[in-house]
Amino acid sequence: MAASSSSLKGKRTSENVASDDVLSEDAEKQLYTHLIRTGKSLLELAYTNEELLQELDKLENLLSKVRQGIKQNKTMKKVLRPAKKALVGLLGHGELDVKIFVTSCLTQLMRITAPNEPLEDDYMKEYFQLAVMACGKLSCMTGHGYLKVLSMLQVFADVHLCVVMWDLELDALLVELFQKFLNTIQSIQLPVVISSMEKIMIMAINSSDEMSLDLLLVLLASVKKENLCLSPFSFKIGERVLEKCAPKLEPYLQEAVSCMGISFGDYANIVASICQGATQRENMDAVKLQVAAASHREVGQLQSSKSQVNKSTSDVRNKRKFDANSTKALHHCDQISKQIDVDETKKVGEDVPVVKKRDGRHSSLLNSEEGYDLSCPPVQNSHSRKRRTRKKVQ
């Protein structure tokens, strides 16, 4: 079994070509031919577990050479169809190593078709369950699947597959993934693996619509001060994730601290820093509102004072004008009265015509200049109007 594992690793190293390498047109056609042939052989032939691992390793190697984001035309779909069908059929295989190899192949398939998903939702969920299970094997550095898991983890991080997990509502599975990362990281010394784990966790948090309390509790558990000695790698990665996701976690962390009565002294300083930073910002916002309100009141008082001064000045000016006008009016009235007295004296003994009443006309025939126009129909009461029927949303 060990010899076979060595042969697989050697074969993988010698044949693998970086997926970003640009193949010639002939090489690409040849690659597609091999992909179709390998996929069909997995569908049609019966293999022992060892033979199956070798075929899956070959398929994963071929898939890794296909460029990411390649146009998904009819030709490409035809190339990938046999492999995809074979991998879906192997999702329920009982052998652990076979499951890990299938997961590694499917991860490459995800990379090729991104941002489109290559499988239906039910199969995607099965894939993610296998991927999380495989990540739990990182602490065991032996067996066929170890290098496959390392490769899968890096692609998982680069393609942001954790975002799809939110879309599929796999919240509990994400919590399990975080827990596996933090539990196994102590036995992992490879920087690339730690970097991939951290990248996945940060991406998962920042891409969430609402933060899961269970997910937050897993992070908080990792940064307990007692873990600084018991599990320093877990402590450090948890601390970095909290720090880099502080804006997203801030409101949820405050609520968790308040509800659970968490003592800051039991956790890394970053927990207190995030919560205190939020409190300080709230206090600053409150102070800004108070300052703004005070400034608004001062402006209002100043405007009111100016208005009062202007009103007083205007009142004095108006009073002077009124007094002057009143004097003129009184003088004019006296003159008119005197003139009337003179006219009345002249008219004594003359016939004075009596003012006749206006001809009685129907009010509707009155011109607008002569009075109100009553020809308009009365306005209906608002309650007599028909109400609009609101359509129900189906």
Side-chain angles (χ1 to χ4, degrees):
M1 200 73 168
S4 300
S5 177
S6 300
S7 64
L8 283 174
K9 293 177 184 178
K11 182 178 179 182
R12 169 68 178 164
T13 305
S14 62
E15 290 186 2
N16 185 36
V17 177
S19 58
D20 291 335
D21 291 346
V22 179
L23 300 177
S24 66
E25 186 175 350
D26 290 339
E28 199 168 58
K29 287 181 179 179
Q30 188 176 6
L31 172 63
Y32 294 167
T33 301
H34 287 315
L35 269 172
I36 294 173
R37 186 181 302 163
T38 304
K40 287 183 176 180
S41 67
L42 281 170
L43 282 170
E44 297 169 358
L45 302 178
Y47 296 102
T48 64
N49 286 343
E50 192 63 31
E51 291 170 340
L52 188 56
L53 291 177
Q54 291 180 3
E55 287 298 309
L56 288 170
D57 182 70
K58 179 181 176 181
L59 177 60
E60 197 265 346
N61 182 38
L62 292 169
L63 289 170
S64 69
K65 297 176 183 179
V66 180
R67 288 180 290 111
Q68 181 180 2
I70 192 168
K71 188 176 181 181
Q72 298 299 303
N73 52 28
K74 291 183 179 180
T75 302
M76 195 64 212
K77 289 180 180 179
K78 182 180 179 181
V79 169
L80 296 177
R81 188 178 295 116
K84 183 167 68 173
K85 189 175 181 180
L87 292 171
V88 167
L90 290 169
L91 280 171
H93 199 281
E95 182 68 27
L96 177 60
D97 285 337
V98 172
K99 288 182 177 180
I100 292 176
F101 275 54
V102 168
T103 306
S104 182
C105 290
L106 285 173
T107 305
Q108 287 294 339
L109 195 62
M110 304 281 183
R111 177 190 62 79
I112 295 168
T113 62
N116 300 316
E117 299 170 19
L119 307 177
E120 296 178 0
D121 286 358
D122 289 341
Y123 294 133
M124 291 291 292
K125 290 178 181 180
E126 285 190 58
Y127 159 76
F128 283 118
Q129 289 171 354
L130 289 177
V132 172
M133 178 274 300
C135 288
K137 304 300 177 183
L138 287 169
S139 57
C140 181
M141 300 182 66
T142 58
H144 291 318
Y146 182 72
L147 291 180
K148 295 293 182 185
V149 177
L150 296 184
S151 174
M152 181 204 72
L153 188 65
Q154 190 170 358
V155 175
F156 199 99
D158 292 340
V159 184
H160 301 167
L161 286 175
C162 55
V163 177
V164 184
M165 295 181 72
W166 286 125
D167 293 339
L168 293 173
E169 299 181 351
L170 299 176
D171 303 28
L173 201 59
L174 269 168
V175 174
E176 184 181 347
L177 181 63
F178 273 47
Q179 190 68 68
K180 288 184 182 298
F181 282 167
L182 294 169
N183 288 345
T184 60
I185 199 170
Q186 190 61 32
S187 58
I188 299 171
Q189 305 299 325
L190 295 174
V192 66
V193 179
I194 297 175
S195 176
S196 295
M197 288 181 172
E198 183 178 328
K199 187 175 180 180
I200 291 171
M201 295 170 79
I202 292 172
M203 177 57 61
I205 292 172
N206 287 333
S207 63
S208 64
D209 293 330
E210 292 183 1
M211 181 52 51
S212 165
L213 178 60
D214 292 335
L215 199 63
L216 187 58
L217 292 178
V218 169
L219 279 175
L220 284 173
S222 70
V223 294
K224 280 189 173 181
K225 286 188 176 179
E226 60 189 35
N227 285 336
L228 190 56
C229 296
L230 297 175
S231 184
F233 285 98
S234 177
F235 183 93
K236 289 297 180 183
I237 193 173
E239 193 175 37
R240 285 200 299 271
V241 170
L242 284 170
E243 182 178 3
K244 293 182 179 180
C245 298
K248 183 77 175 185
L249 292 174
E250 189 176 272
Y252 302 98
L253 192 58
Q254 273 191 306
E255 185 177 355
V257 168
S258 176
C259 294
M260 300 175 61
I262 288 175
S263 173
F264 290 136
D266 296 334
Y267 294 86
N269 295 334
I270 186 62
V271 176
S273 177
I274 293 174
C275 292
Q276 290 170 0
T279 303
Q280 289 175 358
R281 274 188 289 277
E282 289 177 358
N283 293 337
M284 288 177 65
D285 291 340
V287 170
K288 288 179 181 178
L289 288 174
Q290 292 175 357
V291 171
S295 300
H296 182 71
R297 285 196 299 270
E298 290 177 0
V299 171
Q301 291 173 357
L302 181 60
Q303 290 177 346
S304 178
S305 299
K306 288 181 178 179
S307 177
Q308 290 177 358
V309 171
N310 292 336
K311 186 177 183 301
S312 299
T313 305
S314 177
D315 290 344
V316 171
R317 190 181 298 114
N318 291 336
K319 188 177 185 301
R320 288 175 181 173
K321 287 182 179 180
F322 178 79
D323 292 342
N325 292 335
S326 297
T327 303
K328 290 180 180 180
L330 289 172
H331 179 68
H332 184 61
C333 287
D334 288 340
Q335 290 180 339
I336 292 174
S337 297
K338 290 178 181 178
Q339 185 65 38
I340 291 173
D341 291 340
V342 172
D343 293 340
E344 288 292 336
T345 303
K346 288 181 179 179
K347 290 180 180 179
V348 171
E350 298 180 359
D351 294 333
V352 179
V354 177
V355 178
K356 296 181 179 179
K357 295 181 180 179
R358 286 183 69 177
D359 293 336
R361 289 186 289 173
H362 195 275
S363 60
S364 63
L365 300 178
L366 294 175
N367 294 329
S368 60
E369 292 83 4
E370 296 177 348
Y372 297 104
D373 184 3
L374 304 178
S375 60
C376 296
V379 178
Q380 292 180 351
N381 190 295
S382 61
H383 294 288
S384 66
R385 296 176 184 175
K386 294 182 179 179
R387 296 183 179 179
R388 294 181 181 179
T389 55
R390 186 176 180 180
K391 294 181 179 180
K392 294 183 179 180
V393 179
Q394 300 297 329

